[in-house]
Amino acid sequence: MTTPPAPLPYGTPDTPRLAVRGEARLEVDPEIARLGITVSSRGTDRRTALADLTHRNNQTLELIKSYGQAIEQLETGSFTITPQLTDKGRHERIRAYHGTVHLTATLNDFTALGELTTRLADLDLTRVDGPWWALRPDSPAHREARQQAVREAVQRAREYAGALGAELVAVVELADIGAENATPAGLPPAPGGMMRSAGYGGEAPAPALDLEPQRQYVYAQVNARFTMTRPAL
């Protein structure tokens, strides 16, 4: 059995308690951008499809790595090789094999992002999703938002106390919203585009995309409880 929460103290006439909420909302530039790359192959023979997939995967990795320090992280998500059966017939017959490799590239240099995106989309049987703009988990913007939320809570409490002719005495509690009953919350995916490559040879390289970074919004909320002097009613 769970223990019911203890009732909140409401102070005394001489030392009233004041509870407020502080909020902050910042709009900042993104720090990183992620690209999702799917490399594919198809062939009537398993080994041929696998060899083509290996070659295209290596080609894609070499292209991404050629951007050096602009690439903050490069990961392989999954690899599949799937037989495709004929639609009709009494016997199971394999018509072709499909292979895919999923990669994720994280860039910290947006000047190289447009060029790399276009070059990846220009590769044979390659799909590019993104970019997804984001902040790093340890971004200073998160700290600034939390501090601003606390300052806003103090300012709001002072205004309430001042309206009663009182002053703040001490802070008795400071908590994130939902800290006592936290539930996991998923972040919505950042919007991005999608490009596909058909892989037509002999064409001039496509011009680099002009990508405008999407501004990021950082939110912070805090509950604060204070005690104050006796109101002058």
Side-chain angles (χ1 to χ4, degrees):
M1 296 179 62
T2 60
T3 304
L8 293 175
Y10 289 96
T12 65
D14 290 327
T15 310
R17 188 184 68 97
L18 179 64
V20 297
R21 173 179 296 184
E23 299 175 322
R25 179 178 183 271
L26 303 181
E27 182 179 349
V28 297
D29 290 326
E31 297 172 343
I32 56 176
R34 292 187 178 90
L35 293 175
I37 305 105
T38 303
V39 183
S40 304
S41 70
R42 181 179 179 181
T44 56
D45 177 75
R46 179 189 292 269
R47 296 211 167 202
T48 301
L50 185 58
D52 289 344
L53 183 62
T54 301
H55 171 72
R56 289 169 185 157
N57 179 64
N58 292 337
Q59 183 182 25
T60 303
L61 291 175
E62 290 176 2
L63 173 59
I64 297 173
K65 291 178 180 179
S66 69
Y67 282 80
Q69 294 184 350
I71 307 300
E72 187 164 300
Q73 194 171 19
L74 177 59
E75 301 173 304
T76 300
S78 63
F79 156 79
T80 60
I81 186 80
T82 307
Q84 181 182 5
L85 302 178
T86 55
D87 296 332
K88 299 180 180 180
R90 299 178 58 185
H91 304 287
E92 293 184 348
R93 295 182 180 180
I94 298 176
R95 182 173 62 183
Y97 290 90
H98 293 271
T100 58
V101 174
H102 297 280
L103 306 170
T104 302
T106 303
L107 287 84
N108 52 36
D109 183 356
F110 301 156
T111 60
L113 180 62
E115 178 184 311
L116 176 59
T117 302
T118 303
R119 293 180 66 184
L120 287 170
D122 205 33
L123 296 176
D124 291 346
L125 293 177
T126 301
R127 165 177 166 167
V128 182
D129 293 282
W132 293 283
W133 311 94
L135 298 172
R136 296 184 181 89
D138 59 349
S139 171
H142 299 298
R143 180 179 65 252
E144 174 58 28
R146 290 189 292 266
Q147 293 176 345
Q148 185 171 319
V150 172
R151 290 192 293 267
E152 201 270 347
V154 174
Q155 179 62 30
R156 181 176 294 185
R158 281 178 176 158
E159 292 172 355
Y160 285 149
L164 296 172
E167 295 181 355
L168 296 184
V169 174
V171 58
V172 295
E173 184 174 328
L174 194 65
D176 286 334
I177 302 298
E180 291 87 0
N181 187 23
T183 55
L187 293 177
M194 179 188 73
M195 288 152 285
R196 297 177 183 267
S197 170
Y200 298 103
E203 295 182 355
L209 286 172
D210 185 9
L211 300 175
E212 292 294 333
Q214 183 184 54
R215 298 279 284 176
Q216 302 297 293
Y217 296 95
V218 184
Y219 302 92
Q221 292 183 325
V222 64
N223 280 335
R225 295 182 175 92
F226 303 86
T227 57
M228 61 182 181
T229 59
R230 186 181 182 93
L233 300 178

